[in-house]
Amino acid sequence: MRKFIALPRIEGRASRQAHCDLPEGTFERELGKEGFFGPATMMYHAHPPTGWLGWEGPLRPRAFDLDKIPSGMSSPWKAAPILSNASVKLRYWRCDRSMDHLVRNADGDELLFLHRGSAELYCDYGHLSLAAGDYLMLPRSTMWRIEVSSPVDLLMIECSNGSYTLPEKGLVGQHAIFDPAMLDVPAIDDAFLAQQGEHKTRVVIKRQDRLSTVTYPFNPLDAVGWHGDLVPVRINIRHIRPIMSHRQHLPPSAHTTFLGDRFVVCSFVPRPFETDPGAIKVPFFHNNDDYDEVIFYHAGDFFSRDNIKPGMVTWHPCGFTHGPHPKALTRMYEQTKPGTDEYAVMIDARDPLEMGEAAAATELEAYAQSWQSPGPVTAPSRQAGS
């Protein structure tokens, strides 16, 4: 266990409680290690820490419109590469037809998030229906295919050379966020048995990002039963019940859904806003300097971002301050509605990500300048929320 140097101190005008009771006329910025799990310092600034005039060089906040990626990909191995490093690969699969072959990922567990459409999954373990908002975790080397009911857009998150696990839930217990009993598994049902047969079947295997094909004289999805605890699981993002505090804005790590090796997957879902008058009610500025932050926007009104719509991705590499857009800051202490109305998937990656070809082709070049304000931005008074 690593032991950080911990010397908590207070200097100048500062709050004694993070994310609450900020000194009048200030903006808070959290400097933290290990993705909000390590030591941290709260800075209090006279200006928004994202109030820049411009950017030069390769490092900057980026956004991509994945709806611009062409559809018609007949195999997940044709999915468009978005972002990747040695531990995680993000691809976007736009499929408008049923698969005529099976696939198997020998490079790691695969997490699929169904953004649009519906499909029927057939895999080693049986049959499972998929709808918009579903997460589906497929263990490494699971054979599978989908039959498309309506065209699907899928975010694919590969845990390269690793395995997905569930987060430790500590004081709140194992039933928080979602009860493990909410996880659905494939069934050997009539639909699964009906697709079995003596027809020639191809299995396209991905190993070290290279493809090989094995052909069987029969359909290898021919199981008649199984038992064990290594199995695909499905949960819909709308079944996730977020941890909340009415007195303090919680960090993104409180919304962790799955753990990968050197990255986490979090789910942002509707929740009530904080009600304590002194608590900030927008995401706090933060220097999450050990992680790259990626958010895929699924549905709803993304209250801390301007001009972001479903199907977009934002990528904020480490090295600069992340935080809400200027318009959101006007509602820092007082919101105009009782709660958030957004569904989004966040990936926090411990190692630097590289941009794929599809991301580069769909980048919104002006995004880095979207924090510019036509005039000075001043911190709203805490009294406004009293």
Side-chain angles (χ1 to χ4, degrees), residues 1-6 30-42 251 253 287-288 290-291:
M1 177 71 69
R2 297 178 63 188
K3 186 171 179 62
F4 291 96
I5 300 170
E30 178 173 327
L31 290 72
K33 301 287 288 183
E34 298 300 330
F36 306 103
F37 286 101
T41 288
M42 309 302 148
S253 52
N287 281 36
N288 186 5
D290 288 329
Y291 282 76

Side-chain angles (χ1 to χ4, degrees), residues 163-224:
S163 302
Y164 281 108
T165 59
L166 298 180
E168 294 290 336
K169 298 178 184 177
L171 294 174
V172 297
Q174 64 173 324
H175 306 294
I177 306 177
F178 63 83
D179 192 312
M182 291 296 297
L183 295 170
D184 298 314
V185 302
I188 296 183
D189 56 13
D190 290 343
F192 182 71
L193 295 174
Q195 59 88 50
Q196 296 178 353
E198 304 301 314
H199 48 273
K200 186 161 54 174
T201 305
R202 292 181 300 121
V203 183
V204 182
I205 305 165
K206 184 173 80 72
R207 175 60 176 160
Q208 295 182 309
D209 285 328
R210 294 178 292 185
L211 300 182
S212 302
T213 302
V214 57
T215 303
Y216 290 85
F218 55 87
N219 177 6
L221 299 184
D222 61 355
V224 298

Side-chain angles (χ1 to χ4, degrees), residues 22-350:
L22 277 57
E24 193 68 23
T26 67
F27 300 92
E28 182 189 60
R29 174 173 63 112
E30 178 173 327
L31 290 72
K33 301 287 288 183
E34 298 300 330
F36 306 103
F37 286 101
T41 288
M42 309 302 148
M43 294 278 182
Y44 299 93
H45 296 277
H47 301 93
T50 54
W52 46 67
L53 288 177
W55 282 84
E56 296 178 7
L59 179 68
R60 64 177 185 270
R62 298 176 184 269
F64 315 106
D65 186 355
L66 302 192
D67 282 345
K68 294 180 179 179
I69 294 174
S71 61
M73 304 168 184
S74 59
S75 171
W77 304 149
K78 295 182 179 180
I82 307 301
L83 297 163
S84 65
N85 60 28
S87 301
V88 60
K89 291 182 175 64
L90 275 65
R91 292 165 291 160
Y92 199 59
W93 183 27
R94 308 196 70 190
C95 180
D96 60 0
R97 70 198 76 172
S98 297
M99 294 170 60
D100 62 1
H101 60 284
L102 298 170
V103 294
R104 172 183 275 164
N105 189 348
D107 287 332
D109 287 2
E110 194 86 70
L111 182 65
L112 307 182
F113 179 77
L114 185 56
H115 174 49
R116 296 190 184 103
S118 58
E120 304 300 318
L121 170 82
Y122 296 93
C123 67
D124 288 296
Y125 300 82
H127 164 241
L128 195 61
S129 296
L130 300 177
D134 277 344
Y135 284 108
L136 174 69
M137 194 286 292
L138 293 162
R140 186 175 189 165
S141 288
T142 299
M143 280 192 300
W144 62 278
R145 66 179 177 88
I146 60 170
E147 291 186 1
V148 172
S149 307
S150 60
V152 299
D153 290 348
L154 280 151
L155 181 68
M156 305 180 67
I157 311 169
E158 178 187 292
C159 182
S160 304
N161 200 34
S163 302
Y164 281 108
T165 59
L166 298 180
E168 294 290 336
K169 298 178 184 177
L171 294 174
V172 297
Q174 64 173 324
H175 306 294
I177 306 177
F178 63 83
D179 192 312
M182 291 296 297
L183 295 170
D184 298 314
V185 302
I188 296 183
D189 56 13
D190 290 343
F192 182 71
L193 295 174
Q195 59 88 50
Q196 296 178 353
E198 304 301 314
H199 48 273
K200 186 161 54 174
T201 305
R202 292 181 300 121
V203 183
V204 182
I205 305 165
K206 184 173 80 72
R207 175 60 176 160
Q208 295 182 309
D209 285 328
R210 294 178 292 185
L211 300 182
S212 302
T213 302
V214 57
T215 303
Y216 290 85
F218 55 87
N219 177 6
L221 299 184
D222 61 355
V224 298
W226 56 267
H227 84 275
D229 56 8
L230 177 65
V231 60
V233 294
R234 177 194 69 188
I235 188 165
N236 196 281
I237 194 170
R238 288 171 175 79
H239 293 157
I240 291 174
R241 300 170 187 269
I243 293 176
M244 298 176 293
S245 169
H246 71 286
R247 300 202 65 199
Q248 183 190 38
H249 188 92
L250 298 179
S253 52
H255 308 296
T256 302
T257 310
F258 299 98
L259 297 177
D261 292 358
R262 300 183 69 79
F263 70 96
V264 300
V265 179
C266 304
S267 302
F268 298 146
V269 300
R271 60 168 181 82
F273 282 116
E274 298 77 10
T275 56
D276 188 289
I280 62 173
K281 297 163 181 68
V282 295
F284 48 85
F285 293 105
H286 57 277
N287 281 36
N288 186 5
D289 282 330
D290 288 329
Y291 282 76
D292 278 17
E293 176 188 282
V294 179
I295 301 179
F296 175 79
Y297 299 89
H298 171 54
D301 174 23
F302 308 107
F303 77 106
S304 66
R305 292 280 184 269
D306 295 340
N307 303 313
I308 293 293
K309 64 181 181 65
M312 286 186 175
V313 165
T314 57
W315 172 31
H316 293 188
C318 75
F320 59 88
T321 300
H322 306 168
H325 274 106
K327 188 165 65 176
L329 292 178
T330 64
R331 304 187 297 274
M332 189 161 70
Y333 290 112
E334 187 172 22
Q335 290 288 343
T336 57
K337 53 186 180 180
T340 67
D341 176 25
E342 63 183 17
Y343 292 92
V345 178
M346 186 183 85
I347 300 96
D348 253 12
R350 183 64 175 79

